[in-house]
Amino acid sequence: MTRVLEVKDLEGGYGSVQILHGIDMHVDEGEFVTVIGPNGCGKSTLIKTIFGIATYYSGDIEYRDRDVSGWRTDQLVNHGIAYVPQVNNVFPSLSVEENLQMGGNTLDTRTLNERIERALEMFPDLRNRVHDLAASLSGGERQMLAISRALISNPTFLLLDEPTAALSPLYQQQIIDRIDSLREQGITVLIVEQNARLSLSRSDRGYIMASGKIVHTGDASHILTDPEIGEYFLGGTSH
Ligand SMILES: Nc1ncnc2c1ncn2[C@@H]1O[C@H](COP(=O)(O)OP(=O)(O)OP(=O)(O)O)[C@@H](O)[C@H]1O
Ligand SMILES: [Mg+2]
């Protein structure tokens, strides 16, 4: 199996504020992996450090057998990684179409239009809204736009930060379904989530993070059914 991402003993944070204290994790080709953990434990920081946004201190970040630690975001994007941030992930004062165009500003017009068309096939709800301002979209539609924009760079590895947070159950389900179908199209998926049951239910494996460290890992199905984990990390047992 091809390893897409291998993180070893990763330390990182923001300037001199260390948040990650030796993270070990990996994601294999075609996998759907979810990292869960409580508020403030460093989930976003992990994904941001991998994507070259937070400060990398030490440790290994290998992407498809290349050492990419310290790489710039645009280099990572050119090598097939895309990232959907937790907040402020669309430009509200631009239209849906303009947001999508921003996702591929180095592409020629024809390729850009093809990619936009493909993203709209994935998220048909956005098709009727292409000329509307992103500010007018519902939370679920915004998330669809943010994911669509990430797809414009044609990624093979997608990093998503809490894609279902603050959405209605119906939108949560829709978003996770779409992410799952991206995986079926060959995109490897890494999600960090605080409300993790739904994401874990589609995942192959999961990691549990607390205070900047990985404290547990295993098959997603085991994590979902472990009563102790349910109690502490998944908001009680499932119904
Ligand atoms: N830009 C920043 N500068 C300094 N500290 C930060 C910065 N952003 C986040 N932090 C701190 O880093 C720690 C981890 O934050 P992070 O956003 O990674 O947590 P999280 O697990 O994603 O939480 P949540 O579930 O609320 O999204 C927190 O203590 C937070 O206050
Ligand atoms: Mg976060």
Side-chain angles (χ1 to χ4, degrees), residues 13-15 17-20 36-48 86 161-162 192-195 209 212:
Y14 302 96
V17 184
Q18 182 166 358
I19 306 292
L20 305 178
I36 68 170
N39 209 267
C41 73
K43 301 181 299 298
S44 295
T45 309
L46 170 60
I47 229 171
K48 286 185 199 168
Q86 180 173 2
D161 194 342
E162 304 218 22
V192 303
E193 270 286 359
Q194 195 186 140
N195 300 315
M209 216 176 148

Side-chain angles (χ1 to χ4, degrees), residues 75-124:
Q75 296 174 293
L76 296 169
V77 169
N78 286 337
H79 283 79
I81 307 186
Y83 159 66
V84 182
Q86 180 173 2
V87 290
N88 302 328
N89 54 17
V90 301
F91 298 101
S93 60
L94 299 182
S95 71
V96 166
E97 187 173 39
E98 287 163 341
N99 267 277
L100 292 171
Q101 288 164 346
M102 296 286 286
N105 49 14
T106 59
L107 300 173
D108 63 74
T109 312
R110 190 169 149 215
T111 310
L112 179 59
N113 288 337
E114 280 170 10
R115 301 259 176 97
I116 290 176
E117 182 55 35
R118 217 166 60 192
L120 292 173
E121 277 167 19
M122 214 45 225
F123 293 98

